[in-house]
């Protein structure tokens, strides 16, 4: 009986400590990585340069509008093979849009579904990514990226 | 002198007789306890919880046969074999696991029975083995932004083409605590709870096994829980 008592205590303790599982809620967000862009000054090449009155849209959907930033994280279309972004900036006006300049960033890739966990399901990673830019974007730091699997660092630096 | 020798001889004789008498009296004293015999044999039964659960839960079907064989006063060799099919619904995936399993091991009865009662409170250990098929029925890629303020701007697509892989195996150790009560002569009702530790559980390609027959839900740390509720019949071979 003494043995049984210890066995029960061990059993209950095991259940208490080992049943607390972290796989019920997906705490990893976002699971599918965003595309991270950073904006640099085209003359110094090392300093960040904010884009003034920055508006970004794709396929008629506006991601954000009229902000000043040097760093953005944007989603890619997972069911298509390319996403074309329209980037609008205005460095001359403070109110109206007469000084708007536009640029396009075309991102092409092949998407792949990768399993993460019970609660998070599958995420999409992007392979063989290529970038193409026109308009006020002078230069991109890279035009080809092997894969986008996380968003810890910038994938492309944009010089303008 | 003669009388003295005689009296010594008589004394020794009496002493010897006395010893003899003591010995015999010891032998003849009846024991104050009776040995109650209980049946040794093969006990076979079924798990009632699995057909019951199949009836309530449409995404589950299962069947389990249990058996044990008593090898000594407190030790039983025990096994369970069964078949299970379970559909697991998660936020982003739906998967089916289907297959057969066997669990082999022993139970140690820790309960001291009164008289001729034959009940058990036991602890048991098992080695479990399953061969199963795992199917990813459908999944929706998780493109959530992680914040309710940021809407998802691109459309999503649920992939409904099932991907299946059969011949997957699982091995695990199991620790059980249970009771068995003799309700009618040789008819037992039993219950056990189990904690399982997976040794190796195969996953299908680009997915994970979320449920294993005989192991139940596979938690992230490769552990699991189980229980059964059995009715079993003892076929006694001998009474010891």
């Amino acid at each position: 009986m003494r043995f049984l008592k210890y066995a029960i205590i061990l059993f209950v303790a095991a259940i208490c400590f080992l049943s607390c599982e972290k796989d019920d809620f997906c705490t990893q967000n976002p699971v599918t990585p965003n595309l991270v862009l950073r904006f640099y000054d085209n003359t110094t090449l090392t300093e960040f340069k904010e884009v003034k009155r920055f508006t970004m849209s794709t396929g008629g959907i506006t991601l954000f509008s009229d902000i000043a930033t040097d760093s953005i994280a944007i989603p890619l279309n997972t069911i298509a093979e390319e996403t074309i972004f329209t980037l609008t900036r205005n460095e001359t006006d403070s109110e109206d849009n007469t000084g708007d300049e536009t640029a396009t960033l075309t991102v092409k890739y092949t998407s792949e579904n990768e399993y993460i966990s019970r609660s998070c399901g599958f995420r999409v990673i992007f392979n063989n990514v290529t970038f193409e830019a026109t308009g006020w974007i002078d230069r991109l730091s890279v035009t080809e990226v092997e894969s986008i699997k996380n968003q810890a660092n910038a994938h492309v630096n944009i010089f303008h | 002198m003669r009388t003295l020798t005689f009296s010594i001889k008589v004394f020794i004789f009496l002493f010897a007789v006395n010893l003899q008498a003591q010995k015999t009296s010891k032998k003849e004293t009846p024991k104050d306890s009776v040995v109650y015999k209980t049946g040794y044999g093969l006990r076979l039964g079924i798990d009632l919880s699995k057909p019951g659960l199949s009836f309530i839960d449409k995404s589950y079907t299962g069947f389990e046969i249990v058996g044990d064989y008593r090898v000594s006063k407190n030790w039983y060799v025990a096994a369970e074999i069964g078949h299970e099919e379970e559909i697991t619904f998660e936020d982003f995936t739906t998967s089916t696991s289907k297959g057969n399993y066997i669990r082999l091991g022993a139970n140690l009865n820790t309960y001291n029975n009164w008289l001729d009662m034959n009940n058990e409170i036991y602890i048991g250990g098992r080695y479990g083995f399953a061969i199963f098929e795992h199917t990813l029925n459908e999944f929706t890629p998780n493109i959530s932004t992680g914040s309710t303020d940021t809407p998802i701007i691109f459309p999503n697509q649920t992939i409904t083409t099932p991907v299946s892989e059969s011949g997957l195996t699982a091995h695990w150790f199991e620790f059980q605590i249970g009771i068995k009560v003799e309700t009618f002569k040789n008819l037992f009702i039993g219950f056990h709870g189990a904690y399982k530790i997976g040794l190796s559980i195969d996953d299908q390609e680009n997915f994970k096994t979320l449920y294993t027959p005989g192991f139940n839900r596979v938690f992230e740390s490769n552990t699991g829980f189980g229980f059964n509720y059995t009715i079993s019949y003892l076929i006694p071979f001998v009474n010891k």
Side-chain angles (χ1 to χ4, degrees):
Chain A
M1 285 311 273
R2 200 190 179 87
F3 185 43
L4 180 72
K5 203 188 285 173
Y6 285 123
I8 289 173
I9 290 168
L10 193 76
F11 192 68
V12 171
I15 288 172
C16 289
F17 288 110
L18 299 164
S19 64
C20 307
E21 288 285 336
K22 58 181 189 293
D23 60 356
D24 283 329
F25 299 101
C26 185
T27 50
Q28 185 190 346
N29 276 310
V31 180
T32 293
N34 286 327
L35 173 68
V36 180
L37 305 175
R38 295 220 76 169
F39 296 88
Y40 283 83
D41 191 320
N42 195 32
T43 49
T44 64
L45 301 179
T46 51
E47 278 168 38
F48 297 127
K49 185 182 169 189
E50 276 191 347
V51 183
K52 303 271 178 347
R53 296 193 61 201
F54 188 15
T55 300
M56 200 161 180
S57 65
T58 174
I61 309 156
T62 304
L63 295 167
F64 53 84
S65 61
D66 232 3
I67 61 165
T69 184
D70 61 15
S71 168
I72 51 164
I74 47 173
L76 294 170
N77 190 346
T78 57
I79 62 167
E81 299 226 305
E82 65 170 18
T83 309
I84 302 166
F85 296 101
T86 306
L87 299 83
T88 309
R89 70 169 183 180
N90 193 325
E91 288 190 318
T92 50
D93 306 313
S94 57
E95 288 296 318
D96 56 20
N97 299 328
T98 49
D100 277 3
E101 295 171 276
T102 59
T104 57
L105 179 68
T106 307
V107 189
K108 290 184 179 171
Y109 44 83
T110 50
S111 52
E112 180 192 337
N113 296 307
E114 188 185 64
Y115 185 70
I116 298 298
S117 67
R118 180 189 287 269
S119 52
C120 294
F122 284 82
R123 70 170 184 173
V124 182
I125 56 172
F126 307 95
N127 297 318
N128 307 318
V129 191
T130 58
F131 302 96
E132 223 181 283
T134 60
W136 56 261
I137 297 170
D138 294 321
R139 208 160 63 83
L140 300 172
S141 62
V142 285
T143 53
E144 275 180 36
V145 170
E146 198 184 321
S147 64
I148 295 176
K149 285 184 173 176
N150 63 64
Q151 54 178 77
N153 294 306
H155 301 112
V156 189
N157 296 331
I158 293 175
F159 299 93
H160 68 108
Chain B
M1 196 63 203
R2 217 184 168 94
T3 33
L4 182 64
T5 336
F6 178 75
S7 44
I8 288 169
K9 273 180 179 170
V10 166
F11 181 76
I12 289 167
F13 175 76
L14 280 175
F15 192 71
V17 165
N18 192 30
L19 275 177
Q20 196 68 33
Q22 261 186 353
K23 268 182 189 166
T24 46
S25 72
K26 248 188 185 170
K27 258 182 191 167
E28 280 162 8
T29 310
K31 283 184 179 173
D32 57 353
S33 65
V34 181
V35 175
Y36 290 101
K37 290 181 173 178
T38 49
Y40 279 56
L42 183 69
R43 183 162 46 190
L44 287 171
I46 61 154
D47 180 4
L48 296 174
S49 70
K50 287 184 172 60
L53 208 60
S54 308
F55 185 72
I56 299 163
D57 185 357
K58 291 282 165 269
S59 66
Y60 173 85
T61 51
F63 187 75
E64 184 177 289
I65 295 167
V66 298
D68 60 29
Y69 183 78
R70 189 174 182 182
V71 288
S72 73
K73 187 170 182 287
N74 290 325
W75 284 94
Y76 297 75
V77 173
E80 293 103 29
I81 59 167
H83 174 87
E84 275 185 323
E85 182 175 349
E86 157 91 1
I87 304 170
T88 307
F89 297 95
E90 292 294 337
D91 289 349
F92 299 99
T93 60
T94 305
S95 56
T96 304
S97 188
K98 178 170 86 172
N100 302 314
Y101 63 90
I102 184 161
R103 293 194 295 251
L104 289 165
N107 290 339
L108 171 67
N109 184 15
T110 61
Y111 182 69
N112 288 319
N113 280 295
W114 289 359
L115 309 175
D116 62 342
M117 293 199 314
N118 194 12
N119 301 323
E120 275 178 67
I121 299 175
Y122 65 88
I123 57 162
R126 297 283 188 282
Y127 159 73
F129 175 70
I131 296 182
F132 62 102
E133 182 190 80
H134 207 264
T135 308
L136 174 62
N137 300 327
E138 59 172 62
F139 71 96
T140 309
N142 183 352
I143 57 163
S144 60
T145 55
S147 152
T148 46
D149 300 332
T150 323
I152 297 168
I153 61 156
F154 293 111
N156 205 352
Q157 212 169 34
T158 299
I159 290 107
T160 52
T161 317
V163 182
S164 194
E165 201 169 319
S166 58
L168 301 171
T169 59
H171 305 264
W172 69 91
F173 274 133
E174 185 165 330
F175 180 66
Q176 295 185 352
I177 281 188
I179 56 165
K180 280 198 178 73
V181 179
E182 191 173 22
T183 45
F184 294 100
K185 182 73 185 159
N186 293 335
L187 189 74
F188 292 80
I189 297 288
F191 175 84
H192 89 239
Y195 178 66
K196 300 149 196 268
I197 299 163
L199 301 174
S200 88
I201 298 167
D202 287 351
D203 296 323
Q204 76 178 100
E205 210 182 326
N206 196 25
F207 194 45
K208 197 175 180 299
T209 296
L210 301 180
Y211 188 97
T212 305
F215 189 92
N216 302 337
R217 179 183 163 144
V218 182
F219 286 89
E220 203 163 281
S221 50
N222 258 10
T223 54
F225 296 97
F227 76 95
N228 74 9
Y229 183 78
T230 60
I231 183 162
S232 49
Y233 187 77
L234 171 68
I235 308 154
F237 296 156
V238 279
N239 281 327
K240 281 198 249 189

